[in-house]
Amino acid sequence: MEKILIIEEQAATRRYLLEGLAAEGFSTISADQGQFGLQQAQEHRPDVITCGITLPDIDGYTVLSRLRQNPATALIPLVFITTQTSRASLRKAIEMGAADYLTKPFTIEELTRTIAVQLEKQMLQRRWQLPRPQAVAVGGSADVVPCPTAPSIWPSIPRFSNVFDFIEENYHQAITLNDVAQAVGYSPAYLTNLVRRRTGQTVQRWIIERRMAAARALLLETNQDVSQIAAQVGYHHVVHFFRQFRKYHGTTPQSWRNLNRMT
């Protein structure tokens, strides 16, 4: 049974949400203040959180920020429930990483549909967490060449560990900024700005950096041709890989291999 945490100041609204969601088959817990809501989230690890923006101690934006800073709660989707309808306030909520928002008044049916969307995203997110392939067949033969491990390129920033972990596990697939953002519970724009401020590079650049590191390891340690390497590090089209490798290294993959195997 999916567990929903409701952080809501107004007793009547809180009761309406608790009773309505319970009637829909959800397990529910609640808090009337932001700090207590954070404690409940830490203790119970709900599947989805609904939260008001105006709270008696800390506001909903602060709740969201602190949830995202805690590895135990960083990926829990949060849906804001608010009377605020200004474009600026709603935009702020999404850019900070809110999964969605509902403006009052709304029905339990609307809330249930919103929660169902988040639960579906979580299910897809789990499906994305595929193991990295450890071997690849060469030339259609029965020979299998292990995939070498490239040196770690990730900076030591605990806040971004889930971002880098997702890229590490999935760089060999056709992942995008949107995939990473959805996997870690942020909006693409907010995640891009956050990562760029702390690392000097965008999320997309980190994806490419990881693919290039893997490509260099394969060029040095295997005899796979360029098309095989391109496919193994996440490129569906060898021309795209060729162009990107040349842009980053100033030479072609084969020339880079020849030069570095000689040194």
Side-chain angles (χ1 to χ4, degrees):
M1 181 182 296
E2 292 86 357
K3 187 182 301 179
I4 313 300
L5 168 60
I6 298 163
I7 307 174
E8 171 59 48
E9 175 185 13
Q10 298 180 358
T13 301
R14 191 168 62 251
R15 184 168 54 252
Y16 170 72
L17 298 177
L18 286 168
E19 294 175 354
L21 291 177
E24 293 293 328
F26 293 104
S27 171
T28 56
I29 50 179
S30 68
D32 59 356
Q33 297 186 36
Q35 292 283 11
F36 184 49
L38 290 170
Q39 294 174 21
Q40 293 283 68
Q42 174 76 25
E43 179 180 350
H44 295 284
R45 310 290 174 85
D47 296 290
V48 177
I49 298 172
T50 72
C51 184
I53 291 180
T54 302
L55 297 168
D57 51 354
I58 57 176
D59 64 20
Y61 299 124
T62 303
V63 171
L64 176 58
S65 177
R66 292 184 184 176
L67 287 169
R68 294 294 176 260
Q69 292 171 15
N70 184 343
T73 59
L75 299 183
I76 302 174
L78 182 144
V79 176
F80 275 131
I81 293 176
T82 178
T83 57
Q84 299 182 25
T85 58
S86 73
R87 186 169 182 175
S89 63
L90 298 178
R91 180 67 182 170
K92 178 180 179 180
I94 295 301
E95 288 185 349
M96 286 190 66
D100 207 337
Y101 61 86
L102 285 174
T103 55
K104 298 177 182 178
F106 59 88
T107 66
I108 290 297
E109 181 182 0
E110 290 175 308
L111 177 57
T112 301
R113 287 202 302 268
T114 301
I115 290 172
V117 169
Q118 298 308 317
L119 294 174
E120 175 68 16
K121 287 181 179 179
Q122 287 180 314
M123 182 179 69
L124 292 174
Q125 189 174 308
R126 286 190 290 269
R127 290 178 182 173
W128 287 338
Q129 300 290 342
L130 300 175
R132 180 184 173 191
Q134 296 300 311
V136 59
V138 177
S141 69
D143 298 328
V144 173
V145 176
C147 179
T149 300
S152 176
I153 64 168
W154 308 122
S156 181
I157 304 177
R159 184 175 183 182
F160 297 146
S161 61
N162 56 346
V163 174
F164 296 142
D165 286 348
F166 182 84
I167 296 174
E168 182 66 34
E169 292 298 321
N170 296 281
Y171 73 85
H172 58 281
Q173 302 182 90
I175 59 170
T176 65
L177 165 64
N178 287 340
D179 297 324
V180 180
Q182 193 164 26
V184 302
Y186 289 116
S187 72
Y190 179 75
L191 181 63
T192 294
N193 291 334
L194 190 65
V195 171
R196 184 191 286 120
R197 285 200 306 269
R198 291 294 304 275
T199 71
Q201 296 191 156
T202 64
V203 173
Q204 190 60 45
R205 175 67 182 238
W206 280 115
I207 294 173
I208 296 170
E209 291 280 359
R210 184 62 185 90
R211 288 172 173 166
M212 292 296 106
R216 290 192 297 270
L218 288 166
L219 286 166
L220 285 177
E221 300 177 33
T222 77
N223 291 318
Q224 296 177 60
D225 62 35
V226 172
S227 62
Q228 290 173 313
I229 292 174
Q232 193 170 352
V233 300
Y235 293 90
H236 289 316
H237 302 289
V238 66
V239 172
H240 184 201
F241 169 70
F242 185 93
R243 289 174 178 171
Q244 203 151 70
F245 190 95
R246 187 165 191 167
K247 178 180 178 181
Y248 273 70
H249 299 89
T251 188
T252 66
Q254 189 59 52
S255 294
W256 187 94
R257 169 185 268 167
N258 294 339
L259 177 63
N260 284 275
R261 279 187 170 178
M262 291 173 57
T263 59

